[in-house]
Amino acid sequence: MSTAEVSPAGLVSRPSGHLVINDFSIEVATVNGSGSQTANSVLMRSLFQMGIPVSGKNMFPSNIAGLPTWFTIRASKHGYMSRRKEVDLLVAMNPDTAREDVLKLESGAAVVYDEPLKLNTLRSDVHFYPVPFDKLVGPVCPEAKLRKLVRNMIYDGVVAWLLSLDLEEVHKALVKQFGKRKAKAAELNWGAAKAGFDWAAASLTKSDPYRVERMNATAGKIIIDGNAACALGAMFAGVTVVTWYPITPSSSLIESLIGYMKRFRHDPETGKATYAIVQAEDEIASIGMALSAGWAGARSMTSTSGPGISLMSEFIGLGYYAELPTVVFDVQRVGPSTGLPTRTAQGDILKNAVLSHGDTRHPMFFPASPEECFSLTLEAFEFAERFQTPVFLMSDLDLGMNNWMADPFPYPEKPIHRGKVLTAEDMDRLGSFARYQDADGDGVGYRTLPGTQHAAAAYFTRGSGHNEKAQYTEREDDYINNMDRLAHKFEVMRLHVPAPVVTIREKARIGFVAVGTSDYAVRESCDQLRDEYAVDASYLRLRAYPFTEELKDFIRRHDRVYVVDQNRDGQLLSLMRLEFEPELIAKLRSVRYYGGLPLGARTVTDEVARQEGQ
């Protein structure tokens, strides 16, 4: 039932001013379970195929079907990928949110809406386009049970006409979406899109300024989500044991990996799988199996989100203290507790740095793009085995589950390096070894793998007190020596973590520090500050923790440094305050957003302008 029972008033017909070409945002408001994902993906890909940089973000509910969901598409000729608060073209298909969705629009926006909602008298400063979806879908979809799904493709056709989007690109996107096996479904949806396009061409008078024109900014690029990119990275890194327990928003990472491994990781002679993927009974069992597999010599991993990380805490401490390699993919979401499981955040940074009881320190890698989801995953597996420790790959829901434009991933050329692993031949030469002895001065001991055919190769792994030979001990000096060695190993890691990405503006007195998906908002904010306030800003994007000297040098050369956090308590800033000297801490300022939506540039710009007194 419509929430806006008003009388039709016709279209706004007034001069639109200058054209806005390839620089706008689209929001599609539907209900969960209505089948709109296909239509939204096709619309985004159609723009992409016209050479226009795009990004897509899905804001969906965490529980039952029928609740509101919004999908936003940003087209930016400048290549900006962060979320825009402003909506330029709204497709209003949800009766429960239609009135609110329209009232929040800025003047001059355009609205395509389901005609029975009667939204066109709510405002006089918005361009309204009523569409009789039910009337149009009937002739193209005789089966009534399919109409709810197919009718969404009609708005693709209408929007294509309004934007001057080549309809053939919609057809190509449909074929790609459904694949060869679902050719009939693609053709059915194509009929709906074409019906919407033809009806709009014959019935609507365009009055808004938004248009598309072909560009060449997407040639050679792909569209992929971060979870799939991480899965590809894990497969190419040589992972052989994968353990998991389903949790939003990380489940699709493992689901993608299952598909890739089934396709590519089988023995060519026997046809048998060369890997094991195990769905555990809970997150505790999952991390336990991953660490055990790492100890046994497998490249292992698990994937989860904040609540799962909390359950894994004790086992992560075992991994740190017994020095067991594995990679933990943390696709972060909003907490605490269940929180907002389908909203994005960077709320696990401080927790993961020191996870478990006692004195622990854990490396974290921070990808900001699908390309880095792939490349940093490769590095994470190498790092875990080199330093014999759990490594956290810190993604988030925005990166993991949303669609991103990316360059194709390069095929890995470097051979896999397993770290300090002793073979039987090594044991013949050495005669014996001490598992937790720092023989090379880097804090990393040598290890053997189970099954090594040598009498001196065996050792115990202990989560209790142990000496250099892995023998049980509660001696004070043994414990202190062991903990000091682990602390030294962490310091050595600083020299080997992925380096930050640094952009220095010579005249800049302020700088930004951020991680992960905050990157897109910060880079656009730097442009906004320059263009709107004549303020230059440098930028350092961290790709890993522990912090390196580049970060300290960056802070020293600026008067003020704004640390951008997607959490309430400024966790990245807090971690920096724990490590830095007072003169550096005094330069740090906080920019925080924790509403659960992808961070937008305007949020960053407005807060910095306020703190700078602009």
Side-chain angles (χ1 to χ4, degrees):
M1 181 176 179
S2 172
T3 59
E5 299 294 342
V6 294
S7 301
L11 295 172
V12 174
S13 183
R14 62 179 188 279
S16 60
H18 67 284
L19 294 178
V20 179
I21 298 173
N22 298 346
D23 192 16
F24 52 82
S25 63
I26 302 171
E27 180 173 272
V28 182
T30 57
V31 294
N32 196 33
S34 66
S36 59
Q37 183 176 354
T38 295
N40 298 334
S41 297
V42 166
L43 182 56
M44 176 181 167
R45 183 170 289 278
S46 300
L47 293 164
F48 171 80
Q49 290 168 180
M50 288 191 68
I52 304 165
V54 290
S55 61
K57 301 185 185 298
N58 191 18
M59 275 70 79
F60 59 100
S62 59
N63 38 23
I64 61 173
L67 293 179
T69 183
W70 294 267
F71 188 88
T72 65
I73 300 171
R74 183 172 185 182
S76 172
K77 60 186 177 184
H78 306 292
Y80 295 133
M81 296 289 105
S82 66
R83 181 181 66 90
R84 283 188 69 209
K85 289 183 178 180
E86 303 83 9
V87 175
D88 300 306
L89 172 58
L90 170 69
V91 180
M93 302 290 288
N94 184 357
D96 293 331
T97 68
R99 184 184 186 92
E100 181 181 353
D101 290 334
V102 169
L103 293 176
K104 74 179 182 182
L105 297 172
E106 294 194 356
S107 180
V111 181
V112 173
Y113 68 98
D114 195 12
E115 191 173 48
L117 297 180
K118 301 177 182 179
L119 302 177
N120 50 346
T121 61
L122 287 177
R123 298 175 60 170
S124 61
D125 60 342
V126 172
H127 307 271
F128 286 101
Y129 302 104
V131 180
F133 285 95
D134 289 335
K135 177 181 177 181
L136 294 174
V137 74
V140 299
C141 186
E143 292 188 50
K145 64 180 181 180
L146 295 178
R147 287 175 189 167
K148 184 181 79 167
L149 305 177
V150 175
R151 76 196 295 266
N152 291 313
M153 287 305 305
I154 290 178
Y155 66 68
D156 275 12
V158 174
V159 170
W161 181 82
L162 285 171
L163 296 177
S164 300
L165 198 164
D166 188 342
L167 193 61
E168 183 56 31
E169 299 297 350
V170 176
H171 185 244
K172 291 179 183 177
L174 266 170
V175 171
K176 184 172 183 65
Q177 180 78 15
F178 284 99
K180 295 180 180 180
R181 295 182 180 180
K182 297 182 179 180
K184 290 185 178 180
E187 198 60 27
L188 180 62
N189 281 271
W190 167 239
K194 194 171 185 304
F197 186 94
D198 293 342
W199 178 87
S203 307
L204 297 179
T205 301
K206 182 172 173 65
S207 57
D208 68 86
Y210 305 106
R211 306 282 195 283
V212 298
E213 292 181 359
R214 285 193 179 273
M215 296 176 61
N216 191 31
T218 65
K221 294 185 179 293
I222 61 174
I223 292 178
I224 192 170
D225 61 79
N227 281 352
C230 285
L232 281 169
M235 182 179 70
F236 278 96
V239 69
T240 53
V241 175
V242 180
T243 63
W244 70 303
Y245 185 79
I247 183 173
T248 302
S250 75
S251 295
S252 65
L253 194 160
I254 304 299
E255 291 163 354
S256 296
L257 183 55
I258 289 170
Y260 294 139
M261 299 286 264
K262 283 183 176 179
R263 183 176 177 186
F264 296 111
R265 293 284 293 278
H266 287 80
D267 185 284
E269 296 182 1
T270 66
K272 293 183 177 180
T274 58
Y275 62 91
I277 299 179
V278 181
Q279 181 176 326
E281 60 267 34
D282 55 33
E283 289 90 347
I284 301 172
S286 175
I287 186 61
M289 286 189 282
L291 288 168
S292 299
W295 170 79
R299 281 211 156 170
S300 67
M301 61 168 280
T302 187
S303 179
T304 188
S305 191
I309 294 290
S310 297
L311 291 171
M312 293 178 181
S313 174
E314 184 177 1
F315 260 134
I316 292 293
L318 171 65
Y320 172 81
Y321 192 48
E323 298 177 72
L324 309 175
T326 195
V327 177
V328 180
F329 291 82
D330 182 2
V331 189
Q332 298 168 91
R333 72 188 208 188
V334 174
S337 186
T338 304
L340 307 178
T342 59
R343 296 291 184 264
T344 193
Q346 294 175 345
D348 298 342
I349 293 174
L350 193 57
K351 173 180 70 174
N352 287 4
V354 294
L355 190 68
S356 200
H357 56 283
D359 296 316
T360 54
R361 302 282 289 282
H362 306 295
M364 298 181 286
F365 288 11
F366 301 106
S369 64
E371 295 96 329
E372 287 190 340
C373 284
F374 180 79
S375 64
L376 289 186
T377 293
L378 294 172
E379 292 193 46
F381 279 97
E382 294 281 306
F383 201 89
E385 292 202 305
R386 177 174 187 172
F387 289 99
Q388 300 171 17
T389 193
V391 175
F392 289 100
L393 198 290
M394 305 290 288
S395 180
D396 61 34
L397 184 147
D398 184 20
L399 178 57
M401 294 192 70
N402 284 327
N403 294 314
W404 298 88
M405 189 175 71
D407 292 319
F409 308 146
Y411 193 90
E413 300 291 341
K414 292 171 57 178
I416 290 175
H417 191 270
R418 305 303 305 274
K420 295 184 178 182
V421 176
L422 297 174
T423 64
E425 291 74 18
D426 294 326
M427 296 306 303
D428 282 335
R429 178 172 49 85
L430 294 172
S432 64
F433 84 110
R435 169 66 182 94
Y436 296 112
Q437 181 183 36
D438 184 7
D440 302 322
D442 59 2
V444 183
Y446 285 84
R447 63 177 179 141
T448 57
L449 303 181
T452 302
Q453 297 299 308
H454 197 284
Y459 68 92
F460 288 102
T461 295
R462 294 186 184 277
S464 55
H466 50 266
N467 61 17
E468 288 184 344
K469 295 182 179 180
Q471 296 168 332
Y472 177 75
T473 175
E474 295 186 13
R475 288 173 57 90
E476 177 186 32
D477 56 344
D478 284 335
Y479 179 77
I480 291 174
N481 290 338
N482 202 30
M483 294 302 289
D484 287 349
R485 179 183 57 81
L486 288 170
H488 175 63
K489 181 170 75 170
F490 192 79
E491 291 303 311
V492 174
M493 290 180 193
R494 296 186 194 276
L495 305 176
H496 299 281
V497 294
V501 178
V502 185
T503 302
I504 298 293
R505 305 295 182 194
E506 291 303 324
K507 297 181 181 180
R509 300 181 63 185
I510 69 169
F512 284 105
V513 173
V515 298
T517 53
S518 297
D519 177 58
Y520 300 94
V522 171
R523 285 194 282 117
E524 186 175 356
S525 178
C526 287
D527 290 348
Q528 291 176 350
L529 288 167
R530 179 198 62 211
D531 297 341
E532 298 171 17
Y533 297 99
V535 172
D536 284 333
S538 300
Y539 176 33
L540 182 146
R541 177 169 62 82
L542 289 164
R543 298 201 301 151
Y545 172 80
F547 303 133
T548 64
E549 283 298 315
E550 290 101 323
L551 177 57
K552 290 185 176 182
D553 292 340
F554 182 84
I555 298 171
R556 289 188 186 103
R557 70 177 295 154
H558 295 93
D559 295 343
R560 292 169 300 283
V561 172
Y562 290 90
V563 182
V564 180
D565 270 294
Q566 293 187 53
N567 52 71
R568 184 195 67 184
D569 295 335
Q571 293 184 20
L572 180 61
L573 175 61
S574 296
L575 197 55
M576 293 165 64
R577 284 173 170 165
L578 285 173
E579 294 200 10
F580 293 166
E581 50 267 31
E583 55 268 27
L584 295 182
I585 295 173
K587 293 186 174 187
L588 302 179
R589 304 288 186 272
S590 182
V591 174
R592 294 165 295 148
Y593 171 74
Y594 45 94
L597 299 177
L599 180 64
R602 184 55 57 187
T603 297
V604 177
T605 300
D606 289 350
E607 178 59 18
V608 171
R610 183 191 69 80
Q611 294 193 42
E612 289 291 306
Q614 297 288 338

